[in-house]
Structures are given as C-alpha cells and as structure tokens.
Amino acid sequence: MLFRFLPSRSAASLVATISTFLYLLAFSVAVLAAELPSHLPSNNLNGYDIGLPLDLGDTYEPSFAPFDSSYLGKRAVVIGPLENNRPSKLNLRPGEVACYQLKKTFSTDSQGSAANVRRIDLDTAEAALNSSAGAGIVARQDGRRLPVFLSANTCLQPYRVPGNDKADMAPPQLTLLISNSSQIGCPDMSMQDSPSIQKKTFDGGAVMFDMNITDDLFISVQAPNVSSSYDGLYFFELAASAQDYYHRYVNKDGQLLWLDSDASSALLVSKNLTTDADEAKQVMGEGMQYQFYIDNELYPRLHGIQHSTCGLQTNAQIYATPDGTGNLNQLVHMTMTTRGPGGFPKQQFFVTGLNDTTKYQGFIVKAPNANATAAKRDGEGIVGGGGTVFTSTAFDTVSGTSCKMVTDLEFCDDIQYAVPGNIEKFQGDSSLGQKYDDYAKEVYDNFEKALMQVQCEAPSTKMYSLRKNCDDCRRAYKKWLCTVVMPRCEDYSLDSPHSIVRNAGQPFPNGTRLPTEDLARYSAPAFNTSRNKFIDDEIAPGPYKELLPCDDLCYDVVQSCPAALQLACPLRHFREFNSSYATRDPENKEVRCNYPGEPRTRVSAAAGLAFNTAFLCGVVFLVMALLY
C-alpha cells in the first residue's frame, strides 16, 4: 500500500527531500550489509512501501475558526480526512504539528435508533467548514457519551547521524495532544499544562488513548525538536475507531519464548494458542497467526519504534509473514506445531543465517485474520487492522560450532534444542538430527522387545499397577530416552553454572584441543567422555558442556514401567547423580536442567511449565543401567 502525501509546494524542496531520502536509504542498506553474515545478500527496506518523504513547503495557515494562526502557530498543518478504522499517514519535520478535528457524529440504524453506533466521522476543520454531515450522519444532540479509541504508530523517525556516538540510539518520541475546547482548537506543546488538554507521549513508537466524548475533539500530533545529532523526518499513522483500537501494543511477557540457539540459528515459539483440547484441532486448522521480526542489538534499527507495527515493517532487518513475504524472510521457517508440554498448538519460528555471539530481539505481531474480521467490515476499514505488537523476547547466539540446533525429528519429536554436533561430518541441516533420531529409534525398539514380556493386555486386577499401564511406560521411556541420547549442548566457552564439561580430552572437529591446564582440570571420566559412547564414536563433537536432564524424567520412567524391567535412577545424594541429572529451579527463575520443550525464556512461576513431582513419594535404590 502506498502512503499518501501532501503535494510539494516547491520543486527545490522536493529535490532536497529526494536527496535526503536517498542518503537515508543508502545508509540503511550499508548498515544492513554490515550486520549480516557475508554469505547473505544485503537488502533495502523493502518491507514497507514508504515512497518519498513529504516536503511540506511553506507552513499552511488556515484562516477559518477554530484553526486560526493564534492557535496553530507557524509550524502547524491541517490534514485529513480520517475515516473510522482507516489510518491517516503523514510526514512531519521536527517541531511541526499535525491537526485533526474529530466531529462527534454517528450514523443511525434502519430504524433511526442511536443505540447502534456504526461509524465515527473524522473530518478536518476545512472539511467541517465547507460541508455538513452527509446522508445518514446526524449530530448527537442528547448529551450521551460516544466511545472513541485513538491510536497511532511511528513508522519512521529521524536517524542518528553516522559517527555521532554520543547521541541516544533513538530520537525523542512524538506526542499526542487532545482538546475538547473549541476556543483552544488544535493544541501544541506550549499549551500542555492547560486543564482542557490531555497529553500522551508515544512509547516505543506507539500510543493508545480512549475516552467518551460529548463534544468535538481537536487532536494534534506534535513532532519534537531534535538536536543536530539526528537527521530526517517523522512519519506516523493515526487512526480512530468507535469499536476498538486500530493499533495495539500488549505489554505482557511470555507471548514469545526462546527455546535454544547455536552459533547461526535460533528456535522460538509462541505461547500456546489454546489450552483447550477440544479447540486444538480447530486452531491448527486456522494456520499461522503471527508475523515475526528480528532486531540485531549490534546494529539496532528498532529502538524507539519497537511497539509499532508499521515501524517494525519499515525498519526490521529480518521479518517474515505467514504468506511468505518480508525482508530476508527466507531465513525464517515458520510452522504450526503441537510439540512441547501439553501438546497444545503454537507457532514455531526457526531462524537461520544469524551472526555468532550476538544478542537479538524477537517480536511477534498478530495481524487481523481476514475470516475472523469479515463480520466487522462495514466499508470503513477493519477493527484492529493495524495489528497487535507483543513485548519482545531477547535471545542470543553462541561462539563455537560444537553445538547444533535440531528440531522437527520424526521419532524424538519433542526434541527442540542444540545437541553435540560436528560441522565437518554433518553438513546438511537435517543430517545430524537424523543420525541421532535413528539411533534413538533403534534403542527404543530393543526396549519394546523387553516390554513384550509383560502382560500389557491383562485385566486391571492382574496389571503391574492400578495407576499406570504400558502406554504410560512407553511415553515416559521415550521422553527420557530421547533426552539422554540427545543431550542439551552448550558451548565450551559459555560461563554456565548449571552445565558440566563433556568430552574434554577429545579434539574439536577442526583438530585443535583444549589447553593443557584445562585438560588437567577435567581429567575425571565424567568430564572426559560424553554421556554415551554413541556420541563420541559417531558424532565426535569435541569438548562441549551439557545441561543435564531433569531427574524427574528418570523417576517418571521408574514409576510408569513394570518393576520386572529393573529400571532405576540414582538418588540425589549418590555420587553418580551430579554427573547424570540435575534438579529444577523450584521458583522457575532459571533453567537448571533439561526437559523437552523447556524454554530458556523464563516466565512467572504461576505460568511456568508444569512438571511431574510424583517421584518425591517414591524410593528408588538402584541405578538405571542404560545411558544414565
């Protein structure tokens, strides 16, 4: 969609504006090229058709009330018209003010009743002067209050002049000013202390304001003055609605979860889209709901506009939409999945082509669903059409190559984290995961043969347990098996208090070894080999650190399977325990052990992932023979 701009008032101004835009575009391309891996193509800001910056030329000075020069000043412009749930888009130079008048009018239903509000008519002062309310639009004369939802997003903002490191990363924010006084008219910052004026500063490039009105409103968007450290214009869109906010920002953690990452890729998922088993199939059928955006903290471009949908679309280094569009969208593989605890629907984002040892911010935006909003269309736009932006989630990549992300496996379908790898032996994205998956399936097949010796189909009075059956045993064993066959890998150089060193005596895939002092420190058998021989023989990852599996995975197997299988786990006071398992954080503030689907992003304890504590009631004396 092209933005609509006011015409230039001078050719000279237009030439200057085009020059400014081309400089901005060239700088943006240069920054993006510098921050992406060398094998990736650089790209310009192709996610949003921004056109040319507006050249306002001479200041417009209307001569009609209430917008005379005594109220507007010398740097104000009157623009419009706005329509219900349709944004108005405009450029402002620093220090300029955009003015709107919102007339308190509405259309009646077929019976002429005022009960069903269908539309707000938003006209500029000029339109209000030259025309009266059209057919079906009548003024509200009974004094009843009309709800109005105002929202705005900053799409572009002045950028920091290259080389000026003393300037803040983002310029000052726009300000929304609202007056219900026809004597004041459109307010500006010099009037902000008046009791008749309400002020709302944009936060992260977004603002939301709702109120009930009985009189016309006068709305201003004020662009702040900026220092010489910045150059460029502000570009924003403003919308009003009688139903709900057109733009929305939700400040709530836990909407996007970081599962894990390696040196060049990361895996994130949305929160559960439903926890109702009856709705799960329907939600999966509806498909993906979120757009996904990424900002590189080394070269940030979203500071100051991180709560704005159009700001993300215009400036994000990498983003992808469900329909396969976006800037460098080929780096983001999005799918719907039910992996993880509970098996509930969620949207998954697997990102590749990232820089190593780098901090990122991930954002999801929920765009209006065409089917869900069809009933709300009234020819005036879509309620919530500006999208909903959620709080960002921090994630980072590591420096080494010993750990590689795996996901979407056929047998171990709950595994979604980095495992010990070897880039010299496994070049493809899926070959490493396939190697682990095949081995786990082979071990599980042997377990199934042992389980066949148990009377799984016997009546309940003859079963090995009144609470558990063989299906419970299979599920618990598979979850435990996949977790210990595929340990959760962390880079050797990572300072992690909850992981232990593995395979210290072996060379890295490139042939280098650890320093002599490190080899002496990790000479014990637990540190000098991997958890199981298969990893050393078939993968040969070199030194790495392992985040140990949670002990309740092991205890759940013992409680769910027949005693005849003679499966057991080390108790917490056993010497073997500290090199085999770890315990969960009771307050859920950090990841202390590995459990399939356990995110690195922490949420509140109340919203944390549930885990099985039934093992606390059991007593286990033996050590599980296989792969502990």
Side-chain angles (χ1 to χ4, degrees), residues 17 53-55 91-94 156-159 231-235:
T17 300
L54 172 69
D55 180 8
N91 278 327
L92 286 178
R93 292 194 184 104
L156 283 174
Q157 60 186 355
Y159 57 91
D231 197 4
L233 305 173
Y234 287 92
F235 180 67

Side-chain angles (χ1 to χ4, degrees), residues 38 69 106 147 149 163 186 188 197 277 329-330 436 538 541 587 615:
S38 59
S69 60
F106 65 96
F149 300 86
C186 271
D188 60 26
I197 295 174
N329 63 288
Q330 68 273 17
Y436 276 109
E538 301 296 330
E587 297 182 357
F615 67 88

Side-chain angles (χ1 to χ4, degrees), residues 368-432:
N369 182 283
N371 295 328
T373 58
K376 297 183 180 180
R377 293 178 182 269
D378 59 0
E380 303 296 335
I382 302 175
V383 178
T388 301
V389 181
F390 295 92
T391 303
S392 65
T393 293
F395 65 97
D396 54 61
T397 54
V398 299
S399 60
T401 58
S402 293
C403 303
K404 292 298 294 181
M405 283 295 306
V406 296
T407 186
D408 300 335
L409 301 180
E410 181 179 353
F411 177 69
C412 292
D413 49 3
D414 280 341
I415 301 301
Q416 298 173 284
Y417 50 75
V419 301
N422 185 328
I423 60 174
E424 301 296 332
K425 295 182 64 174
F426 302 93
Q427 300 290 338
D429 293 337
S430 60
S431 58
L432 177 66

